[in-house]
Amino acid sequence: MTSTFVINCLVVIGAVLTIPLCFLNDPEVVTLEELPVEVRAWEARGQYTRVYNRSVFYIHERRTTPATGDNNDAVTFALVHGFPTSSFDYHRVIDQLLMHGDVIVHDHVGFGFSEKPQTDFTFSMSELAEHTLELWRLSGVTGRVKIVAHDMGDSVVCEILARRLRKQLPAYFDGDRGFAIAGVTFTNGGMNYARANLRIGQIILSSPWLGAYFNRISVRSRLGDYIAPKQIASIFSPLANRTEMRTDVEVIVALNKLNGGYLMYDKLIYYLHDRINFEFRWYPALQHEREIPIKLVWGDSDSVAPMKIPLFIETLNPKQIQLRVISGSGHFTMLESPAKWLHHVIN
């Protein structure tokens, strides 16, 4: 028997035993007023726009220090977050980035402060990439842009690069009249599905048979209030500041509960299926890139996206892809080691 089969059997047994608990609690939905003050300040810093008729939260701010006049000095950092988090992942680095260029960062549909549709949205990497590109266009981002992605965001950006390779990007992104990709930085994420060490929660939630049922059980029984923080904390480095880590985990959980986002974890995790099905589409974009410099900035103490992932990705195009390792940092390098993250992203 495979380990996945055993896990599925245990989950089914546990789910049956906990059915009565489903009727004890209504789903907990967090409102904006209940969030920590620093998270509410983050929301107040940004704005909302309609992207393909969905409400998307974003922050777009201009550089805080004068540019030198050198064309290479004029740049926008476009930040793309992962699962199951939000743009708030970048709150420890945004002010320093703004000393070196403009910054735009947003919450994907289904995450953070953006709209969380229960129906009529696939949460596929293609759909998230489409919304990301349209937001950048609507926000008027032009000139040299350095894209920085994390976790699920790595796959969103891989889809964008795949479209670029196939000349499928809108004219706005051709580099001559608008948005010019000047560099891409991938940070810790499961860019190679076979080498990722998925958490048990990810495996169960992504199951087409058990995912929705397990999510309902965990929400209604409050089991998720115990499981989610443990699973998220497990991918921080053992060397991470424990006080900061607990705060970060609490914020991640609270933002997922905002407007009932955690009620659809089984839909939000669809990116795992896309990683299985579309690596054949995304890897050529990395292999055949000759113009855009690509960096892998990786924490070496990540238990879910271990070092064997960037070491493999680097082999796809060793002349164009550079690996930069942040020792002693886990999955969330921008939170755990912001100074080192900034050093590698900016330089």
Side-chain angles (χ1 to χ4, degrees):
M1 291 189 296
T2 66
S3 59
T4 302
F5 177 77
V6 173
I7 290 171
N8 287 345
C9 288
L10 291 174
V11 171
V12 170
I13 294 171
V16 170
L17 293 175
T18 56
I19 283 177
L21 297 177
C22 294
F23 304 99
L24 296 180
N25 301 294
D26 290 327
E28 180 186 6
V29 178
V30 171
T31 63
L32 178 62
E33 293 71 24
E34 297 174 279
L35 293 173
V37 62
E38 63 271 23
V39 183
R40 283 183 277 131
W42 183 261
E43 191 271 345
R45 187 171 180 171
Q47 54 192 308
Y48 294 83
T49 190
R50 304 295 293 183
V51 179
Y52 297 123
N53 206 33
R54 299 292 185 187
S55 177
V56 173
F57 170 81
Y58 71 104
I59 294 173
H60 187 194
E61 296 185 2
R62 301 300 179 185
R63 181 182 181 136
T64 56
T65 59
T68 62
D70 183 348
N71 185 53
N72 290 329
D73 196 42
V75 66
T76 297
F77 294 97
L79 312 179
V80 186
H81 75 81
F83 172 94
T85 57
S86 70
S87 59
F88 192 69
D89 286 351
Y90 297 104
H91 75 280
R92 291 198 182 116
V93 295
I94 187 171
D95 290 330
Q96 290 82 359
L97 277 180
L98 284 166
M99 297 174 66
H100 299 272
D102 299 350
V103 173
I104 185 167
V105 58
H106 72 285
D107 290 340
H108 298 299
V109 174
F111 297 82
F113 297 107
S114 289
E115 184 175 337
K116 297 179 177 177
Q118 300 288 328
T119 59
D120 300 324
F121 200 86
T122 66
F123 300 103
S124 67
M125 296 303 92
S126 178
E127 196 159 20
L128 292 183
E130 191 71 29
H131 279 69
T132 298
L133 289 167
E134 181 64 3
L135 172 71
W136 289 341
R137 187 190 69 81
L138 291 172
S139 301
V141 177
T142 57
R144 299 175 65 253
V145 181
K146 294 185 177 181
I147 302 173
V148 185
H150 175 245
D151 190 78
M152 180 188 73
D154 292 342
S155 297
V156 173
V157 174
C158 279
E159 171 60 26
I160 291 172
L161 293 180
R163 295 183 186 191
R164 181 179 182 274
L165 174 67
R166 293 164 174 79
K167 302 187 185 303
Q168 295 173 335
L169 288 178
Y172 184 82
F173 298 92
D174 65 7
D176 294 328
R177 290 165 292 176
F179 187 113
I181 302 177
V184 173
T185 299
F186 296 106
T187 63
N188 292 59
M191 296 178 70
N192 180 255
Y193 186 85
R195 291 172 170 83
N197 298 327
L198 298 181
R199 307 292 89 180
I200 185 171
Q202 291 176 294
I203 295 171
I204 297 171
L205 286 171
S206 63
S207 167
W209 303 105
L210 294 175
Y213 186 63
F214 175 76
N215 196 47
R216 181 172 181 269
I217 289 290
S218 63
V219 168
R220 298 296 295 272
S221 67
R222 298 286 196 266
L223 183 63
D225 290 347
Y226 174 80
I227 294 177
K230 294 289 185 184
Q231 297 274 281
I232 297 169
S234 72
I235 59 179
F236 279 76
S237 166
L239 302 178
N241 181 297
R242 309 323 279 178
T243 301
E244 289 184 350
M245 184 197 74
R246 282 191 292 271
T247 300
D248 293 334
V249 171
E250 289 172 1
V251 167
I252 292 170
V253 172
L255 280 171
N256 276 299
K257 288 185 176 182
L258 180 68
N259 299 326
Y262 76 143
L263 300 176
M264 52 186 189
Y265 267 151
D266 56 298
K267 298 182 178 72
L268 298 178
I269 206 164
Y270 189 85
Y271 74 98
L272 291 181
H273 298 284
D274 276 4
R275 281 181 172 168
I276 296 171
N277 295 323
F278 293 111
E279 285 182 348
F280 79 93
R281 170 179 168 83
W282 297 337
Y283 287 167
L286 302 178
Q287 290 173 312
H288 298 295
E289 185 55 60
R290 296 294 181 267
E291 299 174 356
I292 300 173
I294 299 172
K295 283 190 288 188
L296 304 169
V297 176
W298 223 265
D300 67 355
S301 299
D302 184 349
S303 58
V304 71
M307 283 301 301
K308 55 187 176 181
I309 291 178
L311 290 172
F312 166 75
I313 297 297
E314 187 182 28
T315 66
L316 298 177
N317 191 347
K319 291 185 178 180
Q320 201 71 16
I321 300 176
Q322 298 181 356
L323 173 60
R324 297 290 181 263
V325 179
I326 301 180
S327 61
S329 191
H331 189 70
F332 296 97
T333 51
M334 74 291 274
L335 293 172
E336 301 175 52
S337 307
K340 294 178 180 178
W341 184 94
L342 285 160
H343 171 76
H344 291 301
V345 167
I346 293 170
N347 295 324

